[in-house]
Structure formats: C-alpha cells, structure tokens
Amino acid sequence: MFHRERTHELTCGDGNAFTQRLTELHFHRLYRAFEVDTYYSDGTRVRQRNGYAEITRTRATAEHDHITGVTHLTASVVLLSGDQAVAANELLSALGLHRLVRVQKVRTLFQHVRETITVTVDELTDLHSCFAETKVTASTVTNAQQRLAATEHSLGLSDCRIEPRPYPQLVLEHLTAYEREPAETGVLPWTAVH
C-alpha cells in the first residue's frame, strides 16, 4: 500500500466551516487534543498529548516533492506512556541532542467512515494559523495521488494554498522573525520530511 499526504493552509476563520464540511462528507472525529512536539537536531521528535507520548525518528531518505507538497516518509516510532514524555526529553538532552523547537497545536483528527482517508486539522498556537493535512492510502502510487487530489477537491482544499514546509520550520521562522528564539544554522533535520 502507498500513502500520500499534503497540507493546505486554511484561511483565517475557515476552521469551523471546514470541519462542518468534513462531517457532511462522512468523516467522523477520532479525537481533539492539545499536542506538543519537541524537535531535536538529529530528526528525533517527542510528541505528547492527553496521556499519550511517543518518540519518532524520521529517516533522512524520505520523499518530498516541494512543488506538489506531497510527502512520503519512513519513520521509527517508540510508544511511551503519557507521563514519560518529560523523561524522554530529559534523556535526549542528556545524550547531547540539541532541542531545536517546540510546536504546540490543537489537533483534531478525522477518519472517513468507509475509506482509508484521514484529515488532520491543526491549529498552531504560536502562529495563530490553521492547517488541514489530507492522507490517503491506495494500492499504487498513481491511485494514491489521484485519490489525494479527488479528496482535496471534494473538501474544497483545491483553492487553499499548499504548505510544503513542515510545522517546526514554520514555527522556527516565526520565532526568528520576532527574535524570540535563535534558529539553528545549516541543514535542518526535517527539510525533507514532515
């Protein structure tokens, strides 16, 4: 099976209208939670939300088409209990990994009732912006790309701007622009992935 995903920025105030559209198209909400992702210099991420935590290490060989905004990646995930996120962050720091940025968001995950399609609506608190990420699965790359385009069209995302940059990069750029936190120089670990 092949997975394809793409992120669009929703215009200000469109989050509620978009979630209503999802309901009309037979998507049901799986959860809504405040989520914190802490990114490190080697491509490791610690994610924490409502009693859930994980460490993710994304491989540098991920596919990302910066023109179309479509991402395909490979990652290793270690599930933790919810109270272990703090300890995981402390361990990574003790191992000498440099914390690059924290991304805080309210995430709402929707799943189609019959098809293998998920839509994630993320409200990034640092940016005061809202994004919709569509993920599809199909038996071939071509089918996955066609399903992704068709789903985006039916959701009304075709007119929204594609956001090819991953969230940590967006937040880092925002923080640097407002001189709140210095940005790392050199190649960032997520430049090829999201």
Side-chain angles (χ1 to χ4, degrees), residues 31-174:
Y31 70 83
R32 180 176 172 84
F34 180 71
E35 197 168 82
V36 178
D37 292 339
T38 305
Y39 290 85
Y40 290 86
S41 53
D42 72 333
T44 300
R45 176 194 71 201
V46 176
R47 170 168 288 166
Q48 181 178 18
R49 72 170 175 268
N50 296 357
Y52 171 87
E54 70 180 29
I55 299 175
T56 303
R57 174 78 168 93
T58 305
R59 293 181 181 83
T61 57
E63 284 178 43
H64 182 78
D65 187 327
H66 290 282
I67 295 169
T68 64
V70 174
T71 302
H72 177 72
L73 58 84
T74 305
S76 299
V77 178
V78 176
L79 298 178
L80 308 171
S81 68
D83 58 352
Q84 290 180 316
V86 172
N89 283 312
E90 289 173 357
L91 174 63
L92 293 174
S93 294
L95 291 173
L97 298 182
H98 177 69
R99 188 190 87 161
L100 295 176
V101 67
R102 283 171 47 114
V103 175
Q104 300 177 94
K105 59 189 174 292
V106 176
R107 170 164 280 188
T108 309
L109 182 64
F110 295 88
Q111 172 73 51
H112 194 274
V113 294
R114 289 181 306 276
E115 300 184 45
T116 53
I117 302 170
T118 59
V119 176
T120 305
V121 178
D122 288 324
E123 303 163 45
L124 272 64
T125 56
D126 290 315
L127 303 181
H128 305 289
S129 299
C130 191
F131 300 89
E133 179 184 73
T134 308
K135 294 181 183 180
V136 300
T137 303
S139 58
T140 69
V141 172
T142 301
N143 287 347
Q145 291 170 336
Q146 290 171 345
R147 288 189 75 204
L148 181 62
T151 301
E152 291 170 338
H153 179 74
S154 68
L155 291 172
L157 292 172
S158 302
D159 295 330
C160 295
R161 184 180 70 80
I162 293 172
E163 180 50 76
R165 296 170 295 175
Y167 295 155
Q169 183 176 342
L170 291 174
V171 172
L172 255 184
E173 289 171 2
H174 175 77

